[in-house]
Amino acid sequence: MKSGNAVLSGYGTTIFEVMSRLADQHKAVNLGQGFPDGNGPADLVSAAATYLAEGWNQYPPMPGLAVLRQAVAAHNQRFYGLDVDWARQTLVTSGATEALAACLFGLLEPGDEVVLFQPLYDSYVPIIRRAGAVPRFVSLRAPGWDVDPAELRAAFGPRTKLVLLNNPQNPIGKVWQAEELALLADLVQAHDAIALCDEVYEHLVFDGARHLPLMALPGMADRTLRIGSAGKSFSLTGWKVGYVTGPADLLPPVVKAHQFLTFTTPPNLQHAVALGLSKDDAYFQGLASGMQAGRDRLAAGLREAGFTVLPAAGTYFLTVDLRASGFKALDTEFCQRLTVEAGVAAIPISAFYEVDAPRHLIRFCFCKKPATLDEAVRRLTAWRNLGE
């Protein structure tokens, strides 16, 4: 019998699923997969339940409920000063991953080149390759994760169609600085390219900093699409509600791709997310400060347990340098041992690379309750005290 698609058949099970299964098997504290261990804001959960019982449960409009698309446009104006026509410049998707797929399938042609930054979220490259496009990688290197301007310029060429930026960046917690974004914007415009920005962690920026969308820079509003996520902004990762904001002349092929992928998104969840986007500033400030407290709690515990922790300016994640912590094992082997022997699951950073992966870095997530983080630290400390 003939085989399946060669691009997708070549990929194994995602590392998140592998490590989560191993964590379940060994009853480990799962600091690998990035999901909070709470149940999200009670008012949004209640609103979704009420709408499910009393609202419209048939197909909603394919681009999304008007109330949510209007809320997305208002959110762009409120936080970033972006003027967005909700009827022509917004799209609701079934999660940010579907948004990425719709954007990439809708915008790329076979042979187009895409500039993207390692380490990177694992869905990017399979979708790019399945679309027939060619990834061009720029590697950010620990511990600072700075952008090398020469390497960035070299990644652009006559076939560059699109740049994919994750900011704040999973898995390393990098928040791109204004000067880095300015350089990237200059290159995108010089090469008449499109920017696709995965900004699902936009409200998870710490230490008094604020998220700056690439779309807000001069000359970028007409060539940038940006993706947001209710999963990250409201700690509701299971809802899978995403949204795209983009120029009116670039969004139509993305909408067509969405039409043939999932077509629509559960209306009760859209209704609740619209309410969430209208929450007051105190909610979003509390979300960031709560996550920052989790970062600081886990980082302090890891350091006390003898691990070298790299800085994280945003997201859900901390990076540990195994080599600097005194370990010789490679990252994948170490994460497996840690799960089985210490009862704490982490993710190898090499899983987020396509080429030239470092093998001495691992990722822990801190989007957990204090008791969960404390139990993980207790187990790690006990394991190290055994002589590991």
Side-chain angles (χ1 to χ4, degrees), residues 9-143:
S9 296
Y11 287 92
T13 304
T14 173
I15 189 66
F16 310 112
E17 182 67 16
V18 170
M19 294 308 301
S20 289
R21 286 179 188 171
L22 192 63
D24 288 342
Q25 180 183 347
H26 292 276
K27 295 181 172 53
V29 177
N30 190 350
L31 300 188
Q33 194 168 6
F35 58 87
D37 54 1
N39 202 36
D43 58 340
L44 299 193
V45 174
S46 177
T50 299
Y51 192 96
L52 187 66
E54 302 175 3
W56 176 255
N57 287 302
Q58 307 308 324
Y59 292 127
M62 182 268 292
L65 291 181
V67 66
L68 178 51
R69 297 172 67 200
Q70 290 164 357
V72 169
H75 178 272
N76 278 284
Q77 175 60 49
R78 171 185 171 190
F79 285 97
Y80 312 118
L82 295 169
D83 292 323
V84 174
D85 179 349
W86 75 266
R88 300 172 64 237
Q89 292 184 259
T90 65
L91 170 69
V92 178
T93 61
S94 292
T97 302
E98 193 246 315
L100 285 160
C103 289
L104 293 169
F105 285 137
L107 296 172
L108 293 175
E109 299 280 5
D112 287 341
E113 294 186 358
V114 179
V115 176
L116 62 171
F117 302 90
Q118 297 188 120
L120 44 75
Y121 184 58
D122 67 342
S123 79
Y124 296 168
V125 177
I127 300 171
I128 289 167
R129 286 182 170 149
R130 187 66 188 92
V134 180
R136 297 298 183 200
F137 300 107
V138 177
S139 292
L140 310 178
R141 294 177 174 82

